[in-house]
């Protein structure tokens, strides 16, 4: 008997062949290159805008020589109520000119015994607050001096007096920057699940509608084809996520917009990647199975909308609740449930303050769900992918042997 | 090349209440071109899909080389599905290399083979183009290349000639004959019965999921009734209708086709024809595959009605 060529193909070989095609096709596609580049540019642009905006002060006040004694108290008062005020020594005439051309917000005039400011038309509310507080202080100091006291001593005593708060559970001190990073993480995960998840469904339908699936299934098993597709698109999504997350954080740290520690930043990116992978695999298995039910691209929306709603719901809840209330209990509970965890948990993790057990439990639950999804979606896919024409009923796909 | 045959043995398949295949049985010998004919919905495509493992049979077995066929041995099959399918947005060359590799070829072998087959099928100039940019005829050639790039040891082609221009039909016929000459069992389905008649060594006629006739073309034709073709330019219409045991099948212009029943005398027919004037042709003609096919199919329709 003549020898036949060895055409055995291991599972991994078959899966990686399919995955390799997905990666190759996607990396070459214009849509992929453009979206990735656009996201990167957007992120870098956002970082630069933040740098520009955060550099400035809230107001610039000119101080005439006679009122110069008020310059230091003005700055101190502003700081005490969370404002930043730049001051500039000018003579009155030049000061009025600068008010007119807009380079000064207000000009402090008078002899320093009371607060008199010149403004162009109206005074900025916050600046007015600062000045009122300062005026009150001046009046108080005057009274104290008249009564024979020392305003400085009393000032210190007042400043030192604070209500003592004793929390039963020490609250997590949320950092403003981490909140912003959390939001960005949420947007990234959401977009990525949406785009890559739909790519999986579209890829399945492309093979079905072009009938190439019959040729493929004559050589490899349905699960190998499905696994290869999910894996290939997942790898591309992962590369994209690492690139975007890495470049974003690096740009933030380099420009000085981000002042969080490098380890926190790296941790954020790692969690982002972990949750992208978990979320992507869980959801795209479902998308692949549901995609196999239909034969036309325009029918995809109808079948993948239900699971997509969970992705959208998680994202919307997170993005609308977390920025103002990062410790929200509803979100805390939902972020552990596998359906919502892929969108909510990475946002919470980036914002910080997630107890280790919650982070761990959410991962374990999704990991436990994935084998069940593999089995279920493999079954649906196998039963539905060769049936072209009308939409295959989910019930039929599940039942058929 | 060893003698390997493809056997379809008692394969049955039903979709709900509809019986698609009923104990379909036939074998294709090594080096044989086997034509698979039948009306639409007779079960040809289902049989091929089951042979390729794309569909699961309810009963029966497909054997190759005496062993039940497996996913691994199926990679030796060159398959052309009835529903043509390639990735529309993938380049011809990349696509063929990918498909060859799915059949177990190394990348280097796959590239070599793709170069060879695209050259042979006349699409070598299009390997860098996306499939969707090719004409339908060229897409068909690429599809055939996809069935051949892995140097298959069995060929199963569903309607390989449909949609081909005459030149492509010749190319395809040549390729199939060459493959059979190499000792590969080749089975293909077609509605172009003249082509099947010309190309195939053996033919199987399928009806309602069953093989109703399966033999060499000559043997099948020999079994049928014999027609007599008479060309007599001066013969009036109905000249032969009075002859005993003779049925006039058709009379067009000078040509009359007659069917002779038992005990009919062809010499009496010739004398009657000569009586009308000159006779320029007088031949026995065995029925064509097309006529045979019609008979086989209609016979069963009558049976079913009775």
């Amino acid at each position: 008997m003549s020898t036949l060529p060895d055409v055995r193909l291991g599972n991994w070989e078959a899966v990686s062949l399919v995955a390799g095609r997905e990666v190759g096709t996607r990396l070459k596609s214009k849509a992929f290159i453009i979206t990735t580049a656009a996201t990167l540019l957007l992120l870098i642009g956002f970082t630069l805008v933040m740098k520009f905006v955060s550099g400035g002060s809230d107001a610039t006040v000119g101080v005439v020589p006679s009122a110069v004694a008020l310059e230091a108290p003005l700055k101190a008062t502003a700081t005490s109520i969370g404002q930043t005020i730049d001051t500039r020594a000018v003579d009155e005439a030049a000061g009025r000119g600068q008010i007119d051309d807009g380079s000064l917000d207000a000009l402090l005039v008078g002899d320093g015994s009371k607060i008199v400011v010149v403004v162009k038309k109206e005074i900025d509310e916050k600046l007015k607050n600062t000045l009122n507080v300062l005026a009150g202080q001046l009046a108080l100091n005057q009274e104290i001096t008249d009564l024979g006291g020392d305003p400085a001593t009393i000032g210190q005593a007042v400043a030192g007096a604070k209500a003592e708060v004793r929390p039963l559970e020490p609250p997590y001190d949320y950092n403003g920057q981490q909140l912003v990073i959390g939001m960005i993480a949420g947007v990234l995960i959401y977009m990525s699940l949406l785009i890559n998840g739909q790519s999986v469904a579209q890829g399945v339908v492309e093979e079905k509608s072009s009938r190439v699936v019959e040729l493929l299934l004559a050589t490899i098993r349905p699960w190998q084809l499905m696994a290869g597709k999910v894996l290939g698109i997942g790898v591309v999504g992962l590369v994209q996520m690492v690139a975007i997350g890495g470049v974003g954080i690096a740009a933030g740290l380099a420009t000085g917009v981000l002042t969080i520690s490098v380890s926190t930043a790296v941790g954020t990116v790692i969690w982002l990647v972990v949750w992208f992978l978990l979320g992507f695999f869980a959801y795209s298995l479902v998308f692949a199975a549901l995609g196999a039910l239909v034969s036309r691209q325009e029918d995809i929306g109808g079948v993948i909308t239900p699971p997509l709603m969970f992705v959208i719901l998680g994202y919307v809840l997170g993005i609308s609740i977390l920025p103002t209330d990062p410790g929200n209990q509803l979100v805390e509970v939902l972020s552990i449930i596998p359906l919502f965890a892929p969108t909510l948990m990475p946002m919470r993790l980036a914002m910080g303050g997630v107890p280790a057990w919650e982070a761990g439990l959410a991962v374990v639950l999704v990991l436990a769900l994935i084998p069940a999804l593999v089995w279920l979606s493999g079954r649906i896919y196998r039963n539905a992918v060769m049936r072209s024409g009308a939409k295959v009923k989910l019930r039929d796909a599940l039942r058929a042997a | 090349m060893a003698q390997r045959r493809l056997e379809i043995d008692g394969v049955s398949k039903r979709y709900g209440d509809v019986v698609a295949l009923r104990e379909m049985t036939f074998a294709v010998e090594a080096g044989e071109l086997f034509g698979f004919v039948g009306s639409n919905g007779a079960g040809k495509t289902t049989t091929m899909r089951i042979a390729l493992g794309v569909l699961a049979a309810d009963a029966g077995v497909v054997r190759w080389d005496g062993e039940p066929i497996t996913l691994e041995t199926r990679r030796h099959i060159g398959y052309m599905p009835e529903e043509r399918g390639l990735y529309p947005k993938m380049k011809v060359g990349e696509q063929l290399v990918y498909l060859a590799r799915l059949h177990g070829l190394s990348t280097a072998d796959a590239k070599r083979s793709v170069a060879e087959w695209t050259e042979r099928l006349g699409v070598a100039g299009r390997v860098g183009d996306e499939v969707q940019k090719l004409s339908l005829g060229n897409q068909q050639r690429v599809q055939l290349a996809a069935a051949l790039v892995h140097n298959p040891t069995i060929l199963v082609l569903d309607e390989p000639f449909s949609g081909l221009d005459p030149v492509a039909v010749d190319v395809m016929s040549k390729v199939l004959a060459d493959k059979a000459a190499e000792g590969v069992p080749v089975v293909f389905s077609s509605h172009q019965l003249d082509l099947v008649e010309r190309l195939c060594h053996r033919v199987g006629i399928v009806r309602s999921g069953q093989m109703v006739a399966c033999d060499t073309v000559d043997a099948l034709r020999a079994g049928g009734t014999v027609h007599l073709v008479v060309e007599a330019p001066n013969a009036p219409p109905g000249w032969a209708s009075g002859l005993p045991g003779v049925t006039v099948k058709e009379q067009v212009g000078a040509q009359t086709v007659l069917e002779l029943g038992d005990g009919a005398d062809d010499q009496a027919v010739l004398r009657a024809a000569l009586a009308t004037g000159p006779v320029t042709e007088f031949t026995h003609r065995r029925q064509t595959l097309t006529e045979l096919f019609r008979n086989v199919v209609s016979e069963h329709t009558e049976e079913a009605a009775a």
Side-chain angles (χ1 to χ4, degrees):
Chain A
M1 183 176 292
S2 72
T3 52
L4 280 168
D6 181 11
V7 292
R8 275 172 303 177
L9 213 54
N11 285 338
W12 171 242
E13 249 178 307
V15 169
S16 60
L17 255 176
V18 177
R21 194 199 81 87
E22 294 295 337
V23 174
T25 316
R26 238 149 270 274
L27 289 185
K28 269 183 260 171
S29 95
K30 284 200 192 84
F32 172 79
I33 296 169
I34 291 170
T35 47
T36 311
T39 314
L40 283 175
L41 282 177
L42 216 67
L43 211 58
I44 293 173
F46 178 72
T47 316
L48 292 176
V49 168
M50 290 304 288
K51 180 180 170 59
F52 181 71
V53 169
S54 65
S57 62
D58 295 306
T60 311
V61 177
V63 183
V64 298
S66 58
V68 80
L70 289 174
E71 189 173 345
L74 173 63
K75 281 192 151 182
T77 308
T79 310
S80 73
I81 62 171
Q83 295 279 303
T84 321
I85 289 180
D86 278 350
T87 52
R88 195 188 299 162
V90 285
D91 65 50
E92 192 157 344
R96 281 175 190 268
Q98 286 175 14
I99 296 250
D100 209 40
D101 68 22
S103 61
L104 278 183
D105 294 301
L107 179 66
L108 193 57
V109 294
D111 59 4
S113 61
K114 54 184 178 177
I115 303 293
V116 181
V117 288
V118 176
V119 295
K120 190 170 181 181
K121 215 171 209 172
E122 283 176 74
I123 188 163
D124 176 74
E125 266 314 303
K126 286 177 180 166
L127 181 57
K128 190 173 159 191
N129 262 343
T130 311
L131 292 170
N132 282 344
V133 171
L134 182 60
Q137 200 112 56
L138 282 180
L140 198 60
N141 287 355
Q142 194 58 54
E143 288 300 312
I144 291 168
T145 314
D146 289 354
L147 290 170
D150 176 12
T153 320
I154 293 178
Q156 269 175 6
V158 170
K162 262 185 192 166
E164 192 182 336
V165 181
R166 292 181 183 165
L168 289 176
E169 286 177 39
Y172 182 79
D173 189 17
Y174 289 99
N175 172 320
Q177 288 189 352
Q178 277 182 263
L179 289 186
V180 173
I181 296 173
M183 306 301 296
I184 296 176
V187 174
L188 280 181
I189 277 265
Y190 169 70
M191 295 288 288
S192 195
L193 284 182
L194 215 63
I195 293 172
N196 292 302
Q198 294 199 54
S199 294
V200 170
Q202 280 163 2
V204 168
V205 175
E206 182 199 16
E207 280 165 4
K208 217 180 151 181
S209 65
S210 72
R211 321 275 191 193
V212 76
V213 69
E214 189 168 348
L215 216 50
L216 302 177
L217 291 187
T219 58
I220 55 173
R221 295 192 163 86
W223 75 261
Q224 294 171 332
L225 181 57
M226 187 175 98
K229 182 168 287 292
V230 169
L231 196 68
I233 296 177
V235 165
V236 174
L238 177 67
V239 169
Q240 204 177 17
M241 188 60 85
V242 171
I244 292 172
V247 167
I249 294 277
L253 290 173
T255 54
V257 170
L258 284 183
T259 50
I260 56 174
S261 70
V262 174
S263 67
T264 311
V266 170
T268 301
V269 174
I270 289 176
W271 271 121
L272 193 61
V273 166
V274 166
W275 274 106
F276 165 73
L277 287 178
L278 291 174
F280 173 77
F281 284 120
Y283 271 107
S284 61
L285 284 169
V286 175
F287 289 156
L290 295 178
L293 296 176
V294 298
S295 306
R296 294 182 307 167
Q297 293 289 349
E298 52 270 37
D299 294 335
I300 295 178
V303 286
I304 67 168
T305 300
L308 216 51
M309 288 312 290
F310 288 105
V311 178
I312 296 172
L313 192 64
Y315 168 72
V316 168
L317 282 176
I319 211 98
S320 52
I321 295 177
L322 286 177
T324 48
D325 185 8
N328 184 282
Q329 270 203 315
L330 172 72
V331 175
E332 189 175 346
V333 172
L334 288 181
S335 70
I336 299 170
I337 297 171
L339 279 173
F340 301 103
T343 43
L344 290 177
M345 198 42 111
M347 288 167 89
R348 288 190 59 208
L349 285 165
M351 291 176 176
V354 179
W357 71 269
E358 285 185 13
L361 181 60
V363 171
V364 168
L365 286 180
V366 176
L367 280 179
L369 185 68
I370 286 180
L373 287 175
V374 167
W375 179 83
L376 197 69
S377 53
R379 187 181 173 90
I380 296 173
Y381 182 86
R382 185 174 69 238
N383 289 327
V385 78
M386 277 297 294
R387 293 200 221 165
S388 49
K391 175 178 177 290
V392 180
K393 287 204 184 81
L394 188 58
R395 198 161 11 105
D396 292 346
L398 276 171
R399 193 176 42 202
Chain B
M1 175 84 48
Q3 296 298 299
R4 293 192 166 87
R5 66 206 294 256
L6 176 68
E7 284 173 81
I8 312 287
D9 189 1
V11 172
S12 299
K13 174 79 184 175
R14 51 192 306 152
Y15 298 107
D17 294 336
V18 183
V19 178
L21 289 181
R22 199 175 307 169
E23 306 227 329
M24 172 65 72
T25 303
F26 65 96
V28 186
E29 306 294 331
E32 183 178 56
L33 257 170
F34 185 89
F36 205 32
V37 303
S39 320
N40 292 328
K44 305 183 297 280
T45 296
T46 305
T47 307
M48 292 189 176
R49 283 184 168 174
I50 287 172
L52 264 295
V54 179
L55 269 183
D58 295 337
V61 64
V62 178
R63 282 191 212 94
W64 182 56
D65 202 16
E67 298 286 330
I69 204 156
T70 64
L71 185 74
E72 297 301 333
T73 43
R74 273 189 195 110
R75 293 214 177 91
H76 292 292
I77 305 181
Y79 179 44
M80 191 163 171
E82 181 195 29
E83 313 255 31
R84 305 290 190 253
L86 294 166
Y87 287 103
K89 288 179 190 158
M90 206 172 168
K91 287 175 181 164
V92 171
E94 286 171 15
Q95 178 140 230
L96 291 174
V97 169
Y98 174 60
L99 290 171
R101 294 203 58 204
L102 283 180
H103 281 93
L105 261 65
S106 68
T107 312
D109 287 345
K111 283 184 176 159
R112 204 174 309 122
S113 182
V114 167
E116 182 194 328
W117 278 105
T118 47
E119 182 67 47
R120 200 161 155 190
L121 294 171
V123 284
R126 310 302 300 269
V127 287
D129 290 335
E130 286 179 6
V131 169
Q132 61 184 3
K133 293 192 177 139
L134 267 56
S135 69
L136 219 56
N138 277 337
Q139 287 188 17
Q140 290 273 49
R141 290 171 191 234
V142 175
Q143 191 85 49
L144 179 63
L148 294 165
V149 278
H150 55 284
N151 194 25
T153 43
I154 313 172
L155 271 182
V156 177
L157 311 170
D158 204 347
E159 300 280 353
F161 293 101
S162 79
L164 292 188
D165 62 61
V167 179
V169 166
D170 289 344
V171 173
M172 178 78 79
S173 309
K174 175 89 168 59
V175 169
L176 298 191
D178 288 352
K179 272 286 163 188
E182 285 173 26
V184 171
V186 178
V187 51
F188 73 91
S189 67
S190 181
H191 288 303
Q192 281 144 292
L193 300 177
D194 52 329
L195 211 63
V196 174
E197 190 171 351
R198 201 174 73 222
L199 278 175
C200 293
H201 306 112
R202 283 199 309 139
V203 176
I205 302 179
V206 205
R207 207 195 143 271
S208 305
Q210 272 180 305
M211 188 64 90
V212 290
C214 180
D215 212 330
T216 60
V217 177
D218 284 342
L220 284 173
R221 287 171 58 182
T225 49
V226 174
H227 287 169
L228 195 59
V229 180
V230 181
E231 203 162 295
N234 299 335
W239 64 273
S241 48
L243 297 167
V246 173
T247 322
V248 179
K249 298 297 280 186
E250 59 177 29
Q251 182 171 5
V252 181
Q255 197 181 65
T256 311
V257 178
L258 304 166
E259 191 178 305
L260 300 184
D262 290 336
D265 181 4
D266 55 355
Q267 296 309 307
V269 175
L270 178 59
R271 278 192 295 276
L274 280 168
T276 67
V279 173
T280 54
E281 186 185 346
F282 184 81
T283 40
H284 281 280
R285 194 185 73 189
R286 288 190 304 175
Q287 61 184 346
T288 61
L289 191 58
T290 310
E291 286 163 325
L292 180 78
F293 177 73
R294 272 197 208 113
N295 287 343
V296 170
V297 172
S298 64
E299 247 170 55
H300 286 263
T301 317
E302 281 156 23
E303 264 174 31

